[in-house]
Amino acid sequence: MVRRKLLILIAAAGAAVLADGCRSRRPPVLRVAHIYEPLAGPVYAAGLRWLEGIAEQFRQNHPDFTVRFEQVQWNKIDSKSMTDFRAGVGHDVVMSSPQMMPQHFLTGDLLDLSPFLRHWPPGAVEDFAWSPSWRACTSGPVCLGIPTGVHARVVIYRRDYFQDAGLDPDRPPATLDALLEAAKKLTRDTNGDGKTDVWGLGLYMGPERATIELYFAPLLWHFGGDLWDPVTQQASFADAAGVRAAEWLRDCVHVHKVTPPTAMGGKYDGVFEAFMRGELAMAWGWGNYWNVELEAKGWTRGLHPAAPGGQAVKVGVMLTPTREGAQFSNCWTVSIHKLCPHPDKAFAFIETMLKPENLDHYADAGLPARRSMWERPQFDNDWYRTWRQAAERGRPMPPTPHFNHLADSVAVALQEIVLKQADPAQTLQRYQDEFNRRYAKP
Amino acid sequence: MRNPKRSLPARVVASPQWLFLPALLFLALFWVAPIGPGILISCQEPVAGTAMLEWAGLANYRLLLTEKTFRTNAALTLWYLLGVVGFSTPVAYLAALAIAGRKRGTGAIRALFLLPWVVPPVVSALIFRGLADPQVGPLAAFYQWLSGNPDLIPLHHPFWAMVHVIVHSVWRSVPVLTLFLAAGLTTVPDELYEAAEVDGAGAWQRFRLITLPLTRSHLATGLLLISAFTLQDAETIYAMTGGGPGHDTEVLAVRLFREAFAQGQLHVAAAIGTLLLAAGVALMAFYLILFRRAESAS
């Protein structure tokens, strides 16, 4: 009996030594959590290929490391980083969203990058620091993320539809009223079956964050309101400006009938899909991350990727006709998780990503993150001048750590207002009160 | 042969309830242990800037119970549960009566009946989302005909979105309930039906006076099972409607999912989970009473 126990003990010790040996021989791993959605079109696949190229470059300089990708849905990556931090589960490099930075600051799941940035050559930080997303990622000396690009939104329109409706495609509407008038002219029943086939203005008011970021907030800012008060930490979207914004959006569907009722649900990508199918004459909230599809369809030529002499063929873009600064812009930022065991290697990976020659090919970067890249000749045309203006005029979402809940509250209120014809003032107030009761400072 | 009295301590022999100890330990380990931390988290809230939680007492419960949206979530959960149970039961009885007995081909039909149950929930939810597509979905066309509104977009409509969610859940629940009821039907002696027929009882009377009382225990067990699944069902609704439009299909399980994974409010999600647990226990007690009554009646 004793001999048997002894044998088991020796076998267990041997197995432990063997396991330890295997572990020590395994190369250290750099975990890169990035956005990926296999069903969401070619941009994600291109992003993955780009990251694999970055990993290859990184491995050449750090042969002792292997890179492992962790794929997360775009709207879950920030919350995953935070919940994993609370659960003690670490990552190394993490893609992050500027609008979620206040929550990251509060949770403490991301590492301060400023000690690494101090070693950058003069002017390198300034090359990134122009964008609203950079501002969203920094608080005093602390920096939690570096922009990989700029995501701006404009109103895209079909030039041929403009011509058919007697509108000048070279002079798109510049005010909200003009936009609405143009949308009415562009809304058409092309086959005479009594149903609208081409809608004048595509919008989105579904459950995703785009509803607050691209539609409600720009209108609210335009009418002089704000989403959230940083001093009292109270939501303020139910004021008179918020009510006007909600009414404007509601009226597009019910009164002017220029926006399809499908705008109330599904995904934000539905705006893109409907425009590409030719069902929308104008699409508000068009993101530069969709531009690559315009090129594939031949609607632009030599613009994506940008080349000197590129031109828009079938489409045009205009700035969102809200007042200056009443637009949203963001991007994907890149950060280091607090539970990363080798932050120097993680930052080396980030530096590889941010090389100008690499950022050039990042499909999801959208527009150049580095100011110096904008000076290249391929960006010297009307198309990119509009995009650059949209990027510079953009502002981040309010720095509430409960932004997801704020976005949900606004989306749900809007859906009740549009779908149930609920009173805008009362509905917005109810959701604002629920938000404030939970999060506002006493 | 060993004398059991010798091997057991005198104290245990004097009080045989000690023999329950291993079972109690087992229960504590597998039942209370995972639930305990959840209840504990529901009484805590996060400390800003850290991964720590601090004691908050019943604050999370107070917050929820005084919130209108939470009351809407609770009402929708009840509606969802009643809808699923209410529609599943008659359909399952009809199906069970059809497949009970040893007729030719019933074995294959039983296997087919289980198909909705073996399809992964999210997959079936996505299929049903497609069926409610206003352009191509046959169920959407049916809802449009039923509502008299040819432009109806079911998943954007507060009432029809909930109906669609219930229809999907009924589709998933009926096979399980059918199996339970079919098993119950095989225990009912044929002589009872023959005697009832001789006495001139109609089909409805035979069902009401023989089938229903004698399969009540099977019904209670089946209902307990599908009710528990329905109460916990977050993924299918989330995949189909995301809880929308507005909050109109956001039952408590979906709210819990959103709080935990979309908003990172694990403590609030834990409070919802605890309340759902309490509702589940209450429901279990109700079905057990039903079961006992059925037992004593038979």
Side-chain angles (χ1 to χ4, degrees):
Chain A
M1 192 68 172
V2 172
R3 196 172 359 157
R4 196 172 156 194
K5 278 183 181 169
L6 201 66
L7 276 173
I8 291 171
L9 203 67
I10 291 167
V17 168
L18 201 67
D20 191 54
C22 288
R23 196 167 46 234
S24 60
R25 272 199 296 279
R26 206 181 299 151
V29 176
L30 191 81
R31 297 156 298 178
V32 179
H34 69 100
I35 50 157
Y36 188 70
E37 214 168 326
L39 299 176
V43 174
Y44 286 94
L48 183 60
R49 280 197 301 276
W50 180 79
L51 272 173
E52 281 165 353
I54 301 293
E56 194 47 48
Q57 289 178 35
F58 175 81
R59 272 194 290 265
Q60 281 168 10
N61 295 324
H62 305 87
D64 49 329
F65 266 79
T66 56
V67 177
R68 192 176 72 208
F69 294 117
E70 300 170 330
Q71 297 168 344
V72 190
Q73 250 186 324
W74 72 269
N75 54 354
K76 305 274 188 306
I77 196 159
D78 293 273
S79 49
K80 179 163 178 59
S81 169
M82 289 182 262
T83 46
D84 282 0
F85 171 69
R86 288 195 184 113
V89 178
H91 305 272
D92 298 315
V93 177
V94 185
M95 300 204 71
S96 50
S97 318
Q99 59 269 44
M100 299 302 292
M101 281 301 156
Q103 204 161 341
H104 287 299
F105 272 105
L106 196 74
T107 310
D109 61 310
L110 299 180
L111 202 68
D112 178 16
L113 302 179
S114 57
F116 300 102
L117 294 173
R118 271 186 224 120
H119 300 294
W120 274 14
V125 167
E126 287 70 23
D127 211 19
F128 287 97
W130 66 279
S131 79
S133 298
W134 176 276
R135 293 198 295 277
C137 292
T138 51
S139 173
V142 179
C143 174
L144 295 188
I146 304 172
T148 58
V150 181
H151 286 184
R153 282 85 181 174
V154 295
V155 180
I156 194 167
Y157 60 93
R158 285 280 296 263
R159 296 177 65 86
D160 49 345
Y161 288 3
F162 263 54
Q163 278 165 340
D164 294 347
L167 297 165
D168 183 354
D170 293 321
R171 293 181 59 203
T175 63
L176 280 181
D177 290 340
L179 184 82
L180 211 50
E181 285 312 308
K184 286 177 194 168
K185 287 180 185 162
L186 290 161
T187 302
R188 284 181 303 147
D189 167 14
T190 53
N191 56 9
D193 66 351
K195 288 187 174 175
T196 302
D197 309 304
V198 176
W199 297 88
L201 184 62
L203 301 167
Y204 174 74
M205 286 168 264
E208 293 183 9
R209 286 198 320 232
T211 294
I212 189 171
E213 292 170 349
L214 311 184
Y215 303 93
F216 182 77
L219 285 165
L220 172 89
W221 291 328
H222 176 78
F223 292 127
D226 218 336
L227 288 167
W228 186 76
D229 181 342
V231 180
T232 59
Q233 302 203 352
Q234 289 201 342
S236 53
F237 57 77
D239 64 5
V243 174
R244 279 186 73 185
E247 285 172 346
W248 196 91
L249 291 167
R250 178 198 62 190
D251 291 351
C252 282
V253 179
H254 290 304
V255 179
H256 311 301
K257 299 189 191 302
V258 295
T259 297
T262 47
M264 300 315 304
K267 287 175 167 254
Y268 159 55
D269 284 0
V271 174
F272 157 75
E273 287 158 9
F275 185 79
M276 296 307 284
R277 285 196 301 264
E279 293 166 11
L280 299 175
M282 297 190 284
W284 178 314
W286 181 271
N288 50 265
Y289 32 81
W290 290 331
N291 282 345
V292 67
E293 296 295 309
L294 297 174
E295 192 83 15
K297 207 158 180 173
W299 290 1
T300 62
R301 208 175 294 141
L303 288 174
H304 306 285
Q311 55 176 317
V313 182
K314 205 169 184 176
V315 290
V317 285
M318 63 177 115
L319 289 173
T320 308
T322 44
R323 68 178 169 79
E324 194 166 339
Q327 290 93 17
F328 168 71
S329 86
N330 65 337
C331 67
W332 283 109
T333 48
V334 62
S335 307
I336 299 177
H337 200 253
K338 186 72 89 45
L339 300 178
C340 167
H342 25 65
D344 50 333
K345 298 289 179 192
F347 196 74
F349 188 90
I350 289 175
E351 282 183 311
T352 313
M353 288 173 82
L354 298 178
K355 283 181 183 172
E357 63 271 26
N358 285 335
L359 282 183
D360 247 357
H361 306 292
Y362 179 31
D364 213 13
L367 302 164
R370 291 173 175 268
R371 191 189 279 275
S372 55
M373 290 169 74
W374 278 102
E375 307 308 325
R376 295 174 178 179
Q378 60 264 44
F379 296 116
D380 186 21
N381 54 45
D382 284 345
W383 178 267
Y384 276 108
R385 268 190 286 278
T386 306
W387 281 107
R388 184 174 179 172
Q389 257 187 302
E392 285 173 341
R393 287 166 61 149
R395 63 193 260 189
M397 279 289 116
T400 162
H402 307 292
F403 174 69
N404 267 345
H405 198 164
L406 187 78
D408 274 357
S409 302
V410 166
V412 165
L414 266 182
Q415 293 194 349
E416 286 193 13
I417 290 164
V418 181
L419 289 172
K420 294 186 185 172
Q421 307 268 7
D423 179 72
Q426 281 177 11
T427 310
L428 286 171
Q429 191 65 49
R430 189 190 130 205
Y431 283 102
Q432 179 178 292
D433 290 346
E434 276 189 6
F435 181 89
N436 287 340
R437 211 163 58 82
R438 201 154 157 182
Y439 303 117
K441 270 185 181 170
Chain B
M1 198 169 160
R2 291 170 70 182
N3 183 352
K5 282 188 179 177
R6 253 194 201 176
S7 59
L8 289 171
R11 198 172 39 180
V12 173
V13 176
S15 321
Q17 61 267 34
W18 282 97
L19 295 171
F20 282 117
L21 198 60
L24 284 175
L25 278 174
F26 182 83
L27 272 177
L29 193 66
F30 288 98
W31 199 81
V32 182
I35 292 171
I39 296 173
L40 186 69
I41 291 171
S42 75
C43 297
Q44 294 177 317
E45 58 187 11
V47 182
T50 70
M52 308 290 290
L53 292 165
E54 65 182 4
W55 183 252
L58 296 175
N60 296 324
Y61 293 95
R62 265 198 302 277
L63 178 96
L64 287 170
L65 295 172
T66 54
E67 188 191 78
K68 192 183 172 199
T69 301
F70 181 78
R71 291 198 292 273
T72 306
N73 301 145
L76 286 169
T77 307
L78 192 64
W79 187 28
Y80 182 43
L81 187 65
L82 290 176
V84 173
V85 169
F87 281 105
S88 298
T89 307
V91 177
Y93 260 118
L94 284 174
L97 286 166
I99 65 167
R102 296 178 185 279
K103 289 170 212 145
R104 230 174 167 192
T106 48
I109 292 172
R110 276 183 206 187
L112 275 177
F113 252 88
L114 270 182
L115 204 60
W117 189 250
V118 295
V119 175
V122 173
V123 173
S124 70
L126 291 175
I127 293 169
F128 265 70
R129 195 169 78 179
L131 294 177
D133 185 305
Q135 308 293 329
V136 292
L139 273 179
F142 177 64
Y143 299 144
Q144 285 165 348
W145 171 78
L146 214 57
S147 66
N149 176 7
D151 297 324
L152 177 77
I153 305 172
L155 295 186
H156 292 191
H157 191 283
F159 174 76
W160 291 103
M162 193 63 188
V163 166
H164 189 62
V165 160
I166 290 173
V167 166
H168 171 255
S169 205
V170 167
W171 181 77
R172 285 188 64 79
S173 303
V174 162
V176 179
L177 199 54
T178 303
L179 280 190
F180 274 96
L181 294 177
L185 285 173
T186 56
T187 64
V188 182
D190 288 342
E191 293 80 8
L192 289 178
Y193 290 114
E194 287 160 13
E197 266 189 67
V198 169
D199 290 344
W204 170 244
Q205 280 173 313
R206 288 202 300 275
F207 175 77
R208 193 169 60 85
L209 300 171
I210 300 172
T211 310
L212 190 61
L214 293 183
T215 55
R216 210 188 287 172
S217 61
H218 293 83
L219 177 67
T221 315
L223 286 183
L224 175 63
L225 200 67
I226 64 164
S227 300
F229 284 130
T230 306
L231 266 185
Q232 296 161 13
D233 182 21
E235 73 266 39
T236 63
I237 300 181
Y238 201 78
M240 256 189 298
T241 65
H247 283 308
D248 290 311
T249 55
E250 195 186 74
V251 295
L252 284 173
V254 174
R255 171 80 188 271
L256 184 155
F257 182 83
R258 275 162 83 124
E259 289 283 352
F261 302 111
Q263 290 162 12
Q265 305 283 304
L266 285 173
H267 51 296
V268 180
I272 297 171
T274 307
L275 292 171
L276 262 178
L277 179 73
V281 170
L283 205 64
M284 201 163 64
F286 170 73
Y287 286 129
L288 280 177
I289 291 168
L290 193 72
F291 179 76
R292 286 216 177 128
R293 277 194 191 164
E295 289 276 286
S296 56
S298 61

